[in-house]
């Protein structure tokens, strides 16, 4: 008969029941297994954590570009002040005339500087009177005739020539033509000795006169340029 195993199982159940009742008497609730949501993975079946993100290598630092250095060019020094100049030239360097003979040409060049512009600049020609030689009989006309060539037409016309040994004040001169700063002007003249004039030598003096200069202006401002050309008149051979 199998009575003993049953007795043993019943004894074991009694022991368990007694332990449970003892626990209840002590006020402690028996432990309950943690609830697991249906379909939830257990700890052992949880997906692995993603690998840590790998940082991209830092881009190399761009070197700082220095700001362009702006170089301001130094202002050029002002041009030195220049004044009006004049030259009078002729082939051979002098006017050799023969009474009643052909005229001799000469060239006058005005080179203005950067200091002044002229509204009325007059060219004044003067020569001292020649002393007649023995036997010279002055004629009714002037002994020397001055002419100017018109730059526009090329024609020759009379120009004023003062024959005297005295000085004429600049304030008595009038007229003239404009001359701008740095302008260069070339004029052509010719001089002729009349048949009845005297012979001899006397330089031809040329003055550039600013006829707008007020009274009391220094001479070098009223007459900013001057020149001369040697001259000789002889009788016909």
């Amino acid at each position: 008969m199998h009575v003993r195993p049953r007795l043993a199982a019943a004894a074991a159940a009694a022991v368990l029941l007694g332990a449970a009742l003892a626990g209840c008497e002590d006020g402690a609730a028996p432990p309950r297994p943690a609830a697991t949501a249906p379909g939830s993975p257990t700890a052992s079946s949880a997906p692995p954590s993603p690998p840590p993100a790998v940082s991209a290598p830092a881009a190399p630092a761009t070197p700082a570009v220095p700001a362009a250095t702006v170089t301001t060019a130094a202002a050029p020094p002002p041009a030195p002040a220049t004044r009006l100049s004049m030259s009078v030239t002729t082939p051979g360097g002098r006017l050799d005339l023969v009474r009643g003979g052909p005229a001799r040409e000469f060239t006058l060049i005005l080179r203005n500087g950067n200091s002044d512009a002229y509204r009325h600049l007059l060219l004044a020609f003067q020569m001292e009177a020649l002393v007649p030689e023995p036997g010279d009989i002055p004629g009714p006309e002037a002994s020397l005739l001055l002419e100017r060539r018109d730059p526009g037409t090329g024609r020759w016309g009379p120009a004023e020539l003062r024959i005297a040994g005295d000085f004429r004040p600049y304030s008595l001169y009038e007229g003239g033509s404009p001359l701008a700063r740095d302008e260069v002007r070339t004029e052509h003249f010719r001089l002729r000795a009349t048949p009845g004039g005297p012979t001899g030598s006397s330089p031809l003096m040329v003055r550039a006169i600013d006829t707008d200069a007020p009274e009391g202006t220094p001479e070098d401002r009223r007459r900013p340029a001057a020149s001369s050309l040697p001259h000789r008149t002889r009788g016909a051979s």
Side-chain angles (χ1 to χ4, degrees):
M1 295 177 68
H2 297 283
V3 176
R4 289 184 178 179
R6 291 180 180 178
L7 292 177
V15 173
L16 291 175
L17 179 59
L21 292 176
C24 291
E25 291 176 358
D26 293 338
R32 299 178 63 184
T36 303
S40 297
T42 61
S44 59
S45 62
S49 300
V54 178
S55 300
T62 303
V65 178
T69 303
V70 179
T71 304
T72 303
T82 54
R83 301 286 301 277
L84 174 68
S85 65
M86 178 172 60
S87 63
V88 185
T89 60
T90 189
R94 61 181 297 149
L95 294 170
D96 284 318
L97 304 179
V98 177
R99 285 190 304 187
R104 290 292 305 275
E105 295 187 25
F106 62 94
T107 302
L108 187 152
I109 302 177
L110 291 169
R111 292 183 174 87
N112 198 11
N114 57 17
S115 301
D116 301 292
Y118 299 94
R119 295 188 304 117
H120 297 94
L121 192 68
L122 178 70
L123 295 176
F125 299 84
Q126 181 171 335
M127 184 183 291
E128 293 185 1
L130 300 177
V131 178
E133 295 180 356
D136 287 344
I137 301 175
E141 60 181 346
S143 59
L144 295 168
L145 297 178
L146 179 67
E147 294 179 302
R148 174 183 176 269
R149 188 175 74 185
D150 188 298
T153 64
R155 296 178 180 178
W156 293 95
E160 183 179 356
L161 172 63
R162 183 171 186 262
I163 299 179
D166 62 342
F167 175 78
R168 185 181 184 185
Y170 297 133
S171 59
L172 300 180
Y173 289 93
E174 297 179 349
S177 55
L179 187 68
R181 289 182 175 89
D182 297 319
E183 181 180 353
V184 178
R185 181 191 304 168
T186 301
E187 300 270 9
H188 297 278
F189 296 86
R190 67 184 182 183
L191 187 66
R192 179 171 63 89
T194 60
T199 58
S201 298
S202 178
L204 174 66
M205 295 173 288
V206 188
R207 299 181 180 94
I209 302 172
D210 180 6
T211 59
D212 292 324
E215 189 70 30
T217 302
E219 179 177 342
D220 64 339
R221 303 290 293 179
R222 303 204 67 169
R223 192 266 310 135
S227 187
S228 64
L229 195 62
H231 149 261
R232 183 185 66 178
T233 296
R234 58 182 175 82
S237 56

